[in-house]
Amino acid sequence: VQLQASGGGSVQPGGSLRLSCAASGFIFSRYGIGWFRQAPGKEREFVGAITWTGSMPDYADSVKGRFTISRDNAKNTMYLQMNSLTPEDTAVYYCAAALSIVTSTRVKYWGQGTLVTVSS
């Protein structure tokens, strides 16, 4: 089982970035998916999640309206589109999968994390 996150990097404030997370080793289409992040010196926090059908989006207030989670079950891949980035979005971003709606206690599989740095 593997969740391979990619797409992180450095971006200026106000910019956009799209993270991808490729899944393998399990039936991706049957899992809810989500993203978490951990900023330097802080605990990991929930970013957002969607169900196995791509419905019922749920986002943290801090990213609502700026971030969008999507999935392509044919490609076993999930995405996190991040717009209007601010320095407060700087963190390591982790993708995750759960048998139901993703929450921190329900995650069954974690990705390895990809670093996003927002700085001028």
Side-chain angles (χ1 to χ4, degrees):
V1 172
Q2 189 173 22
L3 288 173
Q4 184 70 41
S6 62
S10 295
V11 63
Q12 292 187 337
S16 297
L17 210 57
R18 189 176 83 154
L19 306 183
S20 300
C21 181
S24 61
F26 64 102
I27 304 175
F28 176 75
S29 61
R30 295 184 182 178
Y31 281 70
I33 58 170
W35 292 86
F36 293 77
R37 68 185 181 184
Q38 187 168 18
K42 296 187 177 180
E43 295 187 353
R44 187 178 298 185
E45 65 174 1
F46 173 80
V47 173
I50 57 175
T51 66
W52 64 279
T53 63
S55 63
M56 297 177 60
D58 183 27
Y59 296 98
D61 288 343
S62 58
V63 306
K64 202 170 293 183
R66 301 187 298 121
F67 289 14
T68 303
I69 296 173
S70 61
R71 65 189 300 160
D72 185 337
N73 288 341
K75 295 182 178 180
N76 288 345
T77 302
M78 66 177 85
Y79 306 96
L80 177 64
Q81 177 66 44
M82 304 184 292
N83 299 327
S84 302
L85 286 161
T86 74
E88 289 68 39
D89 296 315
T90 294
V92 176
Y93 284 73
Y94 298 89
C95 51
L99 284 170
S100 60
I101 297 173
V102 166
T103 66
S104 60
T105 58
R106 294 175 181 164
V107 171
K108 185 171 184 180
Y109 304 123
W110 288 99
Q112 89 286 3
T114 184
L115 177 63
V116 172
T117 303
V118 185
S119 174
S120 55

